[in-house]
């Protein structure tokens, strides 16, 4: 196998409030990580001098994630880590959190908290169990909403809405799997991008009913950016394009052939 080219992308502020005190940050990526495991996006929301880390990922990305976070906020000011669900590419590095982000509460579905000791961390986690109906997560002068997305794909699954910058972190909803050698941060050609999303959505998501339940929860939100855990950001027109693509998706989950 030919080694993939290392193309390292630096973290940057995707969206920020007018006064600059609230920021949504994409934490960068190394394209060569695709050789080790599916590419993942990590995000940080900063409000004043506090920050919330979103789906920090597995152990092999943790060093990059930690360094990227430290460019924007002191790691001891990370007051929360949000886990959309329990998968290894989401929570695999959780045993490193107490040492590197010592003041962070762990936000995760109440369904998954008792499974966390199996990831190698038995003490030191300050866990806030998110109830099935969702919750508000305070951050600085604002708060974010954990929006239920159960069975998309995990039985205890949350997306996260940040009203201060109108960003919806959509976890595995909107995930894309790129062919070898291809990657881009923003969706431009939606039709091509849909071909990278379809297989994942039809095989991993549970069923159309779960999709419809989530769509009804997000349809009245003002959304300028949808930021999934894998793949690319949907901005502008592509936000509505993605939501209507998802609504019309056929052969999902139990009905996937
Ligand atoms: Fe997952």
């Amino acid at each position: 196998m030919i080694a993939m080219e290392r193309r390292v992308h630096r973290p940057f502020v995707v969206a920020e409030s007018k006064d600059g005190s609230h920021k949504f940050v994409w934490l960068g990526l190394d394209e060569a990580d695709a050789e080790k495991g599916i590419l993942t996006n990590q995000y940080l929301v900063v409000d004043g001098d506090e920050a919330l880390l979103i789906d920090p990922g597995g152990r092999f990305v943790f060093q990059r994630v930690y360094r990227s976070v430290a460019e924007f906020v002191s790691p001891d000011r990370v007051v929360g880590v949000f886990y959309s669900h329990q998968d290894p590419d989401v929570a695999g590095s959780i045993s490193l959190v107490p040492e590197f982000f010592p003041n962070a509460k762990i936000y995760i579905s109440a369904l998954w908290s008792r499974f966390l000791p199996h990831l190698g961390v038995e003490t030191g986690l300050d866990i806030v169990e998110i109830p099935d109906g969702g919750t508000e997560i305070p951050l600085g002068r604002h708060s974010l909403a954990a929006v239920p997305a159960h069975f998309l794909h995990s039985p205890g699954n949350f997306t996260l809405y940040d009203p201060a910058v109108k960003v919806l972190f959509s976890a595995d909803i909107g995930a894309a799997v790129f062919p070898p050698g291809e990657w881009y941060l923003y969706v431009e050609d939606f039709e091509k991008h849909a071909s990278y999303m379809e297989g994942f959505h039809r095989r991993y998501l549970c069923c159309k009913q779960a999709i419809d339940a989530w769509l009804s929860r997000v349809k009245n939100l003002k959304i300028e950016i949808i930021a999934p855990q894998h793949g690319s950001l949907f901005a502008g027109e592509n936000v509505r394009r993605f939501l209507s693509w998802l609504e019309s998706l056929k052969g999902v989950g139990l009905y996937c052939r």
Side-chain angles (χ1 to χ4, degrees), residues 32-179:
D33 281 350
E35 282 186 355
K36 300 178 189 162
I38 184 168
L39 288 175
T40 49
N41 294 313
Q42 290 82 26
Y43 303 99
L44 186 74
V45 181
V46 182
D47 192 282
D49 70 344
E50 292 190 355
L52 177 74
L53 177 59
I54 301 174
D55 281 359
R59 290 181 77 96
F60 75 87
V61 300
F62 190 81
Q63 188 179 55
R64 168 179 59 74
V65 170
Y66 178 78
R67 285 181 177 159
S68 296
V69 168
E71 289 184 28
F72 294 88
V73 70
S74 170
D76 64 4
R77 297 308 299 151
V78 174
V79 295
V81 184
F82 171 85
Y83 294 92
S84 59
H85 61 298
Q86 82 293 356
D87 271 354
D89 58 319
V90 170
S93 62
I94 197 168
S95 63
L96 300 169
V97 168
E99 181 181 348
F100 290 92
F101 300 114
N103 299 312
K105 291 185 188 321
I106 300 292
Y107 294 92
I108 192 164
S109 161
L111 268 64
W112 295 121
S113 59
R114 62 188 156 173
F115 290 74
L116 298 180
H118 289 277
L119 287 168
V121 53
E122 290 169 36
T123 56
L125 289 185
D126 183 2
I127 298 175
V128 179
E129 296 184 341
I130 307 175
D132 270 352
T135 193
E136 293 285 316
I137 297 178
L139 181 68
R141 290 177 302 124
H142 291 89
S143 63
L144 292 85
V147 179
H150 304 313
F151 299 102
L152 300 173
H153 63 90
S154 169
N157 204 115
F158 289 93
T159 53
L160 189 64
Y161 178 64
D162 182 353
V165 282
K166 303 182 180 66
V167 173
L168 178 62
F169 168 71
S170 60
D172 276 336
I173 303 169
V177 182
F178 293 104

Side-chain angles (χ1 to χ4, degrees), residues 147-148 159 161 168 211-224 226 239-240 243-244 246-247:
V147 179
T159 53
Y161 178 64
L168 178 62
I211 290 176
D212 289 344
W214 181 75
L215 285 170
S216 71
R217 290 178 191 277
V218 302
K219 73 171 184 244
N220 292 325
L221 300 177
K222 289 190 171 58
I223 303 169
E224 291 180 357
I226 292 179
V239 168
R240 291 295 142 198
L243 295 174
S244 58
L246 188 62
E247 187 173 20

